[in-house]
């Protein structure tokens, strides 16, 4: 085989039983490309075993190409990090009924933009809007692609060429390239910065409103950082009261947009959407896949006249939510409406699960493996919310040589297992591992512990 003159022709290879198999499995076009690529590799001097008088090594190359080319890069993983809203791992896992809703609406046709009563064209906006307005008590609601799009759209529609007042304490970068000042500029708004990095006063707002007639106010939640020490900001209700005197609009970029109070679970209180509206904000923007626990989405709720302007802006069409998102979001919101969010929405289940239940699972893991130690530790909410806030948890800690190498081997194969290292030990937090993943996790761990040196 290393003798190039003896390389088989593409045509002859296509006649082999192996090729017939590949064609059945991968299709003719891809098989042909893989055979050509493999032959080319050999001509270029790919290192084949010296004993390869057979065509076996060539076949293996073809097989390699075919598996690599058809392997999906978006794959499920087991999240044993204890970070509930892990942005790199896809933020919020969906509830069974959100998945069911996607399945039933997307496997066939749906009422996405069809009114079955009239038999005429309907509006895609209504699907989440009706539940949202009932749930939150807002006049109107709109769902777009993500919260970054929601903020950009709101400012583009309401504040183009207009001054927008924002405190320097709130010029935040959220991660993934979302920077409040840059999004504001992109919308065509004129940024009016007030206050200092650590402090802003109501009088700063008042001065700015006097100096910039027709200005809007943008309030942005700090989300992923904390303002501590010699720092202060006026209450949101004071800002909105002032805004009413000047007949100006207050937009609140809430980020995570919790609909439930996080305080009963030993976490700091994350401002809720309802509170923001009650405080008198005219428009509130938040994410669908942070503490709401649904699909990626940006949600705008508030005054009907503002939302009607926003819906008519050309960007609204460019950032509209798709049917999969709407199906999952409406089903997720229903859990809140039916008072079952804590038991049905995975993110809230993980926040609410008892410490004892977590300890029991960690002990079960330890029993199965006959190895490791169950130690107390900390989980976090993550996803750019509740910074520094932790939930006490129990971890299974494994003392293995070369912990880094062990972590890397955990990530091989499918599903990859994502864990972390604490004090040189590899630790696994049951809080973010679904019970139905235990078997895969433990089987893999048993295999690795038997072979890792
Ligand atoms: C997370 C966040 C965003 C961005 O939301 P995405 O849904 O990720 O686009 C914007 N603003 C704030 C305050 C946030 O916390």
């Amino acid at each position: 085989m290393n003798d190039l003159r003896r390389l088989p022709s593409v045509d002859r290879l296509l006649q082999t039983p192996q090729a017939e198999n590949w064609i059945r499995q991968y299709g003719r076009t891809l098989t042909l490309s893989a055979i050509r690529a493999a032959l080319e590799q050999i001509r270029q001097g790919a290192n084949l075993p010296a004993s390869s008088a057979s065509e076996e090594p060539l076949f293996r190359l073809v097989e390699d190409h075919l598996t690599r080319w058809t392997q999906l890069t978006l794959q499920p993983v087991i999240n044993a990090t204890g970070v509930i809203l892990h942005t790199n791992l896809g933020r919020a896992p969906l509830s069974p009924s959100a998945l069911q809703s996607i399945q039933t609406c997307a496997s066939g046709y749906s009422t996405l933009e069809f009114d079955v009563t009239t038999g005429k064209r309907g509006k895609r906006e209504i699907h989440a809007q009706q539940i949202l307005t009932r749930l939150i008590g807002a006049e109107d609601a709109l769902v777009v692609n993500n919260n970054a799009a929601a903020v950009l759209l709101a400012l583009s529609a309401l504040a183009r060429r207009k001054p927008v007042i924002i405190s320097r304490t709130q010029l935040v970068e959220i991660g993934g390239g979302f920077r409040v000042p840059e999004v504001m500029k992109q919308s065509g708004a004129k940024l009016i910065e007030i206050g200092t990095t650590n402090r802003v006063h109501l009088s700063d707002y008042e001065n700015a409103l006097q100096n910039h007639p027709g200005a809007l106010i943008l309030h942005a939640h700090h989300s992923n950082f904390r303002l501590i020490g010699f720092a202060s900001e006026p209450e949101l209700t004071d800002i909105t009261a002032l805004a009413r005197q000047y007949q100006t609009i207050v937009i609140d970029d809430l980020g995570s947009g919790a609909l439930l109070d996080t305080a009963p679970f030993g976490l700091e209180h994350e401002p809720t959407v309802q509170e923001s509206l009650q405080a008198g904000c005219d428009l509130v923007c938040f994410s669908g896949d942070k503490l709401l626990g649904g699909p990626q989405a940006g949600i705008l709720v508030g005054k009907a006249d503002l939302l009607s302007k926003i819906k008519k802006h050309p960007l609204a069409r460019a950032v509209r939510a798709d049917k999969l998102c709407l199906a999952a979001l409406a089903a997720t919101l229903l859990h809140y409406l039916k008072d079952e969010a804590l038991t049905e929405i995975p993110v809230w289940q993980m926040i609410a699960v008892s410490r004892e239940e977590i300890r029991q699972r960690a002990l079960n893991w330890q029993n199965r493996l006959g190895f490791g130690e169950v130690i107390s530790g900390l989980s976090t909410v993550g996803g750019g919310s509740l910074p520094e806030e932790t939930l006490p948890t129990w971890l299974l800690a494994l003392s293995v040589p070369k912990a880094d190498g062990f972590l890397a081997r955990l990530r091989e194969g499918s599903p990859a297992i994502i864990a972390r290292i604490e004090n040189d030990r590899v630790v696994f937090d049951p809080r973010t591992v679904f019970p139905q993943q235990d078997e895969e996790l433990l089987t893999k761990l048993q295999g690795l512990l038997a072979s890792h040196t």
Side-chain angles (χ1 to χ4, degrees), residues 10-11 61 149 256 266 316 318 345 407 411 428 437-438 453:
V10 172
D11 280 339
L61 281 179
S256 91
I345 298 177
L407 267 196
R411 295 194 305 268
F428 301 82
Q437 295 176 321
D438 278 7
T453 46

Side-chain angles (χ1 to χ4, degrees), residues 91 145-149 151 172 174-175 178 180 220-224 253-256 285-290 296-298 383-385:
R91 286 196 186 154
N145 184 56
N146 56 16
N147 190 35
V151 177
V172 295
I174 303 297
F178 182 93
V180 169
H221 182 44
H222 299 143
S223 288
N224 54 6
D253 175 14
L254 251 195
S256 91
C285 309
F286 55 100
S287 290
D289 55 351
K290 291 186 181 171
Q296 178 189 303
S385 57

